Short mmCIF file of all heavy atoms in Angstrom, two decimals:
data_model
loop_
_atom_site.label_atom_id
_atom_site.label_comp_id
_atom_site.label_asym_id
_atom_site.label_seq_id
_atom_site.Cartn_x
_atom_site.Cartn_y
_atom_site.Cartn_z
N ARG A 13 -11.78 17.91 4.30
CA ARG A 13 -12.54 16.74 3.85
C ARG A 13 -12.34 16.50 2.36
O ARG A 13 -12.10 15.38 1.92
CB ARG A 13 -14.03 16.97 4.12
CG ARG A 13 -14.62 15.93 5.02
CD ARG A 13 -16.10 16.12 5.15
NE ARG A 13 -16.83 15.27 4.25
CZ ARG A 13 -18.03 15.56 3.75
NH1 ARG A 13 -18.62 16.67 4.04
NH2 ARG A 13 -18.62 14.71 2.96
N ASN A 16 -8.75 15.41 1.59
CA ASN A 16 -8.61 14.02 2.03
C ASN A 16 -9.17 13.06 0.98
O ASN A 16 -8.54 12.05 0.62
CB ASN A 16 -9.36 13.87 3.36
CG ASN A 16 -9.05 12.58 4.06
OD1 ASN A 16 -7.93 12.12 4.01
ND2 ASN A 16 -10.03 12.00 4.70
N PHE A 17 -10.33 13.42 0.47
CA PHE A 17 -11.01 12.60 -0.54
C PHE A 17 -10.17 12.55 -1.83
O PHE A 17 -9.96 11.48 -2.41
CB PHE A 17 -12.40 13.18 -0.81
CG PHE A 17 -13.20 12.42 -1.81
CD1 PHE A 17 -13.69 11.15 -1.52
CD2 PHE A 17 -13.45 12.95 -3.06
CE1 PHE A 17 -14.41 10.45 -2.45
CE2 PHE A 17 -14.18 12.25 -4.00
CZ PHE A 17 -14.66 10.99 -3.70
N ILE A 28 -4.04 1.76 -9.76
CA ILE A 28 -4.62 1.25 -11.02
C ILE A 28 -3.61 1.40 -12.16
O ILE A 28 -3.38 0.48 -12.94
CB ILE A 28 -5.92 2.02 -11.38
CG1 ILE A 28 -7.01 1.71 -10.37
CG2 ILE A 28 -6.40 1.65 -12.79
CD1 ILE A 28 -8.24 2.57 -10.50
N ARG A 35 1.48 -2.80 -7.20
CA ARG A 35 0.68 -3.87 -6.56
C ARG A 35 1.54 -4.96 -5.90
O ARG A 35 1.32 -5.27 -4.73
CB ARG A 35 -0.27 -4.50 -7.56
CG ARG A 35 -1.52 -3.66 -7.75
CD ARG A 35 -2.49 -4.35 -8.66
NE ARG A 35 -3.04 -3.41 -9.60
CZ ARG A 35 -3.83 -3.74 -10.60
NH1 ARG A 35 -4.15 -4.99 -10.80
NH2 ARG A 35 -4.30 -2.83 -11.40
N SER A 42 2.22 -5.75 2.69
CA SER A 42 1.10 -6.28 3.46
C SER A 42 1.42 -7.66 4.02
O SER A 42 1.11 -7.97 5.17
CB SER A 42 -0.14 -6.32 2.57
OG SER A 42 -1.09 -7.20 3.08
N ALA A 45 4.05 -7.22 6.87
CA ALA A 45 3.55 -6.53 8.06
C ALA A 45 2.40 -7.28 8.74
O ALA A 45 2.34 -7.33 9.96
CB ALA A 45 3.11 -5.13 7.69
N TYR A 47 0.59 -10.51 7.41
CA TYR A 47 0.35 -11.95 7.25
C TYR A 47 1.42 -12.83 7.89
O TYR A 47 1.11 -13.91 8.39
CB TYR A 47 0.23 -12.31 5.76
CG TYR A 47 -1.11 -11.99 5.17
CD1 TYR A 47 -1.40 -10.73 4.68
CD2 TYR A 47 -2.13 -12.94 5.12
CE1 TYR A 47 -2.63 -10.40 4.14
CE2 TYR A 47 -3.38 -12.63 4.59
CZ TYR A 47 -3.62 -11.36 4.10
OH TYR A 47 -4.85 -11.06 3.58
N LYS A 54 0.48 -20.58 11.79
CA LYS A 54 -0.23 -21.66 11.09
C LYS A 54 0.72 -22.82 10.78
O LYS A 54 0.37 -23.99 10.95
CB LYS A 54 -0.81 -21.10 9.78
CG LYS A 54 -1.80 -22.01 9.11
CD LYS A 54 -2.32 -21.38 7.85
CE LYS A 54 -3.28 -22.29 7.14
NZ LYS A 54 -3.75 -21.74 5.89
N SER A 115 -2.60 -18.85 2.65
CA SER A 115 -4.02 -18.58 2.83
C SER A 115 -4.76 -18.86 1.53
O SER A 115 -4.16 -18.85 0.46
CB SER A 115 -4.25 -17.14 3.27
OG SER A 115 -3.86 -16.27 2.24
N VAL A 116 -6.03 -19.13 1.68
CA VAL A 116 -6.86 -19.45 0.51
C VAL A 116 -7.77 -18.27 0.23
O VAL A 116 -8.38 -17.72 1.15
CB VAL A 116 -7.68 -20.73 0.77
CG1 VAL A 116 -8.64 -21.01 -0.37
CG2 VAL A 116 -6.76 -21.91 0.98
N GLN A 118 -11.11 -17.09 -1.01
CA GLN A 118 -12.43 -17.66 -1.29
C GLN A 118 -13.37 -16.57 -1.77
O GLN A 118 -13.47 -15.52 -1.14
CB GLN A 118 -13.02 -18.26 -0.01
CG GLN A 118 -12.20 -19.38 0.55
CD GLN A 118 -13.06 -20.43 1.20
OE1 GLN A 118 -14.27 -20.47 1.03
NE2 GLN A 118 -12.45 -21.32 1.93
N HIS A 119 -13.99 -16.83 -2.89
CA HIS A 119 -15.15 -16.01 -3.24
C HIS A 119 -16.23 -17.04 -3.53
O HIS A 119 -16.30 -17.59 -4.61
CB HIS A 119 -14.87 -15.13 -4.45
CG HIS A 119 -16.01 -14.19 -4.75
ND1 HIS A 119 -16.40 -13.21 -3.88
CD2 HIS A 119 -16.85 -14.11 -5.81
CE1 HIS A 119 -17.42 -12.56 -4.40
NE2 HIS A 119 -17.72 -13.08 -5.56
N PHE A 120 -17.01 -17.36 -2.55
CA PHE A 120 -17.99 -18.45 -2.51
C PHE A 120 -17.28 -19.78 -2.27
O PHE A 120 -17.64 -20.53 -1.39
CB PHE A 120 -18.81 -18.55 -3.79
CG PHE A 120 -19.41 -17.25 -4.25
CD1 PHE A 120 -19.55 -16.96 -5.57
CD2 PHE A 120 -19.83 -16.31 -3.32
CE1 PHE A 120 -20.09 -15.76 -5.99
CE2 PHE A 120 -20.37 -15.11 -3.72
CZ PHE A 120 -20.50 -14.83 -5.06
N TYR A 121 -16.27 -20.10 -3.08
CA TYR A 121 -15.46 -21.31 -2.89
C TYR A 121 -14.02 -20.92 -3.20
O TYR A 121 -13.77 -19.83 -3.73
CB TYR A 121 -15.96 -22.44 -3.78
CG TYR A 121 -16.17 -22.04 -5.22
CD1 TYR A 121 -15.10 -21.91 -6.07
CD2 TYR A 121 -17.45 -21.75 -5.70
CE1 TYR A 121 -15.29 -21.51 -7.38
CE2 TYR A 121 -17.64 -21.34 -7.01
CZ TYR A 121 -16.55 -21.23 -7.84
OH TYR A 121 -16.73 -20.82 -9.12
N LYS A 152 -0.26 -16.58 -10.58
CA LYS A 152 -0.89 -15.37 -11.10
C LYS A 152 -0.02 -14.13 -10.86
O LYS A 152 0.30 -13.41 -11.78
CB LYS A 152 -2.26 -15.20 -10.41
CG LYS A 152 -3.07 -14.03 -10.87
CD LYS A 152 -3.76 -14.30 -12.18
CE LYS A 152 -4.56 -13.09 -12.62
NZ LYS A 152 -4.83 -13.12 -14.04
N THR A 160 0.81 -15.63 -5.69
CA THR A 160 -0.60 -16.02 -5.66
C THR A 160 -0.87 -17.03 -6.78
O THR A 160 -0.29 -16.93 -7.86
CB THR A 160 -1.54 -14.81 -5.82
OG1 THR A 160 -1.31 -14.22 -7.09
CG2 THR A 160 -1.31 -13.79 -4.74
N ASP A 166 -11.27 -20.83 -10.58
CA ASP A 166 -11.50 -19.43 -10.94
C ASP A 166 -12.15 -19.38 -12.33
O ASP A 166 -11.63 -19.93 -13.28
CB ASP A 166 -10.16 -18.69 -10.96
CG ASP A 166 -10.34 -17.19 -11.10
OD1 ASP A 166 -11.16 -16.77 -11.94
OD2 ASP A 166 -9.68 -16.44 -10.38
N ASP A 189 -22.28 -22.57 -10.94
CA ASP A 189 -23.51 -23.36 -11.03
C ASP A 189 -23.30 -24.71 -11.72
O ASP A 189 -23.95 -25.69 -11.35
CB ASP A 189 -24.61 -22.56 -11.74
CG ASP A 189 -24.15 -21.98 -13.06
OD1 ASP A 189 -22.92 -21.85 -13.24
OD2 ASP A 189 -24.99 -21.65 -13.90
N TYR B 11 -4.92 -6.46 11.35
CA TYR B 11 -4.35 -7.76 11.76
C TYR B 11 -5.44 -8.83 11.83
O TYR B 11 -5.21 -9.98 11.49
CB TYR B 11 -3.64 -7.63 13.11
CG TYR B 11 -2.22 -7.14 12.96
CD1 TYR B 11 -1.87 -5.84 13.28
CD2 TYR B 11 -1.24 -7.97 12.44
CE1 TYR B 11 -0.56 -5.39 13.11
CE2 TYR B 11 0.06 -7.54 12.27
CZ TYR B 11 0.39 -6.24 12.60
OH TYR B 11 1.67 -5.81 12.41
N ASN B 17 -8.02 -14.24 7.06
CA ASN B 17 -7.67 -14.79 5.74
C ASN B 17 -6.70 -15.96 5.84
O ASN B 17 -6.75 -16.88 5.04
CB ASN B 17 -7.04 -13.70 4.87
CG ASN B 17 -8.08 -12.84 4.20
OD1 ASN B 17 -9.26 -13.16 4.19
ND2 ASN B 17 -7.66 -11.71 3.68
N SER B 18 -5.80 -15.91 6.84
CA SER B 18 -4.78 -16.97 6.94
C SER B 18 -5.33 -18.23 7.60
O SER B 18 -5.03 -19.33 7.17
CB SER B 18 -3.58 -16.51 7.76
OG SER B 18 -3.20 -15.25 7.42
N GLY B 28 -19.40 -23.31 1.18
CA GLY B 28 -19.10 -22.20 0.27
C GLY B 28 -19.69 -20.87 0.71
O GLY B 28 -19.49 -19.86 0.03
N ASN B 30 -19.47 -17.82 3.04
CA ASN B 30 -18.40 -17.25 3.85
C ASN B 30 -18.82 -15.96 4.55
O ASN B 30 -19.74 -15.28 4.10
CB ASN B 30 -17.19 -16.91 2.96
CG ASN B 30 -16.67 -18.12 2.25
OD1 ASN B 30 -16.49 -19.17 2.83
ND2 ASN B 30 -16.44 -17.98 0.96
N GLU B 47 -15.29 9.95 8.99
CA GLU B 47 -15.09 9.79 7.55
C GLU B 47 -13.62 9.68 7.14
O GLU B 47 -13.24 8.74 6.43
CB GLU B 47 -15.75 10.95 6.80
CG GLU B 47 -15.88 10.66 5.32
CD GLU B 47 -16.41 11.86 4.55
OE1 GLU B 47 -15.76 12.91 4.57
OE2 GLU B 47 -17.48 11.73 3.96
N SER B 48 -12.79 10.62 7.59
CA SER B 48 -11.39 10.66 7.15
C SER B 48 -10.67 9.35 7.48
O SER B 48 -10.03 8.75 6.61
CB SER B 48 -10.65 11.81 7.82
OG SER B 48 -11.27 13.00 7.49
N TRP B 52 -9.16 6.11 4.85
CA TRP B 52 -7.78 5.57 4.81
C TRP B 52 -7.74 4.13 5.31
O TRP B 52 -6.94 3.32 4.83
CB TRP B 52 -6.83 6.49 5.59
CG TRP B 52 -6.66 7.75 4.83
CD1 TRP B 52 -7.21 8.97 5.12
CD2 TRP B 52 -5.98 7.92 3.59
NE1 TRP B 52 -6.91 9.88 4.15
CE2 TRP B 52 -6.14 9.27 3.19
CE3 TRP B 52 -5.24 7.06 2.77
CZ2 TRP B 52 -5.59 9.77 2.02
CZ3 TRP B 52 -4.69 7.56 1.60
CH2 TRP B 52 -4.86 8.90 1.23
N VAL B 60 -4.73 -5.12 2.28
CA VAL B 60 -4.53 -6.34 3.09
C VAL B 60 -5.44 -7.47 2.59
O VAL B 60 -4.99 -8.60 2.42
CB VAL B 60 -4.79 -6.05 4.59
CG1 VAL B 60 -4.75 -7.33 5.41
CG2 VAL B 60 -3.75 -5.08 5.12
N THR B 63 -4.28 -9.05 -0.82
CA THR B 63 -2.89 -9.53 -0.95
C THR B 63 -2.87 -10.89 -1.63
O THR B 63 -1.93 -11.23 -2.34
CB THR B 63 -2.24 -9.61 0.45
OG1 THR B 63 -2.30 -8.31 1.02
CG2 THR B 63 -0.78 -10.04 0.38
N GLN B 64 -3.95 -11.68 -1.44
CA GLN B 64 -4.02 -13.00 -2.06
C GLN B 64 -4.37 -12.91 -3.54
O GLN B 64 -4.29 -13.90 -4.25
CB GLN B 64 -5.10 -13.84 -1.37
CG GLN B 64 -4.92 -13.96 0.09
CD GLN B 64 -6.25 -14.17 0.75
OE1 GLN B 64 -7.18 -13.39 0.60
NE2 GLN B 64 -6.36 -15.23 1.50
N ARG B 65 -4.84 -11.76 -3.97
CA ARG B 65 -5.26 -11.62 -5.36
C ARG B 65 -5.02 -10.17 -5.80
O ARG B 65 -5.90 -9.33 -5.70
CB ARG B 65 -6.76 -11.97 -5.43
CG ARG B 65 -7.29 -12.24 -6.80
CD ARG B 65 -6.61 -13.45 -7.41
NE ARG B 65 -6.99 -13.60 -8.76
CZ ARG B 65 -8.06 -14.28 -9.15
NH1 ARG B 65 -8.80 -14.91 -8.27
NH2 ARG B 65 -8.35 -14.36 -10.42
N LEU B 66 -3.79 -9.92 -6.26
CA LEU B 66 -3.36 -8.53 -6.48
C LEU B 66 -4.16 -7.81 -7.56
O LEU B 66 -4.28 -6.59 -7.53
CB LEU B 66 -1.87 -8.50 -6.82
CG LEU B 66 -0.92 -9.01 -5.75
CD1 LEU B 66 0.52 -8.91 -6.21
CD2 LEU B 66 -1.08 -8.27 -4.44
N GLU B 67 -4.69 -8.56 -8.53
CA GLU B 67 -5.39 -7.88 -9.64
C GLU B 67 -6.64 -7.15 -9.18
O GLU B 67 -7.05 -6.17 -9.81
CB GLU B 67 -5.74 -8.90 -10.73
CG GLU B 67 -6.90 -9.79 -10.35
CD GLU B 67 -7.08 -10.96 -11.27
OE1 GLU B 67 -6.39 -11.95 -11.06
OE2 GLU B 67 -7.91 -10.86 -12.18
N ILE B 81 -17.62 5.82 2.56
CA ILE B 81 -18.18 7.18 2.46
C ILE B 81 -19.72 7.12 2.51
O ILE B 81 -20.36 7.87 3.23
CB ILE B 81 -17.70 7.88 1.16
CG1 ILE B 81 -16.20 8.13 1.23
CG2 ILE B 81 -18.45 9.19 0.93
CD1 ILE B 81 -15.58 8.62 -0.05
N GLN B 85 -21.98 8.79 5.38
CA GLN B 85 -22.91 9.87 5.04
C GLN B 85 -24.35 9.52 5.47
O GLN B 85 -25.04 10.35 6.05
CB GLN B 85 -22.88 10.13 3.53
CG GLN B 85 -21.60 10.79 3.06
CD GLN B 85 -21.42 12.17 3.66
OE1 GLN B 85 -22.32 12.99 3.66
NE2 GLN B 85 -20.24 12.42 4.22
N THR B 114 -18.28 -10.12 -7.51
CA THR B 114 -18.66 -11.23 -8.38
C THR B 114 -18.59 -10.81 -9.85
O THR B 114 -18.10 -11.55 -10.70
CB THR B 114 -20.08 -11.72 -8.04
OG1 THR B 114 -20.12 -12.03 -6.66
CG2 THR B 114 -20.47 -12.95 -8.83
N ASN B 121 -23.53 -16.31 -14.49
CA ASN B 121 -24.78 -16.59 -13.80
C ASN B 121 -24.86 -15.94 -12.41
O ASN B 121 -24.80 -16.60 -11.38
CB ASN B 121 -24.98 -18.12 -13.67
CG ASN B 121 -26.44 -18.47 -13.51
OD1 ASN B 121 -27.26 -17.60 -13.19
ND2 ASN B 121 -26.78 -19.71 -13.75
N TYR B 129 -24.94 -18.25 -2.93
CA TYR B 129 -23.82 -17.83 -2.08
C TYR B 129 -24.00 -16.46 -1.42
O TYR B 129 -23.75 -16.31 -0.23
CB TYR B 129 -22.53 -17.79 -2.90
CG TYR B 129 -22.10 -19.12 -3.46
CD1 TYR B 129 -22.21 -19.39 -4.82
CD2 TYR B 129 -21.56 -20.11 -2.64
CE1 TYR B 129 -21.81 -20.60 -5.35
CE2 TYR B 129 -21.15 -21.33 -3.16
CZ TYR B 129 -21.28 -21.58 -4.51
OH TYR B 129 -20.89 -22.77 -5.03
#
Side-chain angles (χ1 to χ4, degrees):
Chain A
R13 239 186 97 208
N16 192 36
F17 181 70
I28 293 171
R35 279 184 224 174
S42 160
Y47 281 86
K54 192 180 179 183
S115 65
V116 175
Q118 298 214 14
H119 185 63
F120 311 145
Y121 48 78
K152 183 78 180 159
T160 63
D166 189 315
D189 51 339
Chain B
Y11 275 105
N17 277 347
S18 316
N30 301 314
E47 194 186 60
S48 300
W52 290 105
V60 174
T63 302
Q64 305 152 304
R65 196 63 187 271
L66 298 180
E67 74 191 84
I81 293 171
Q85 289 296 312
T114 305
N121 204 343
Y129 298 108

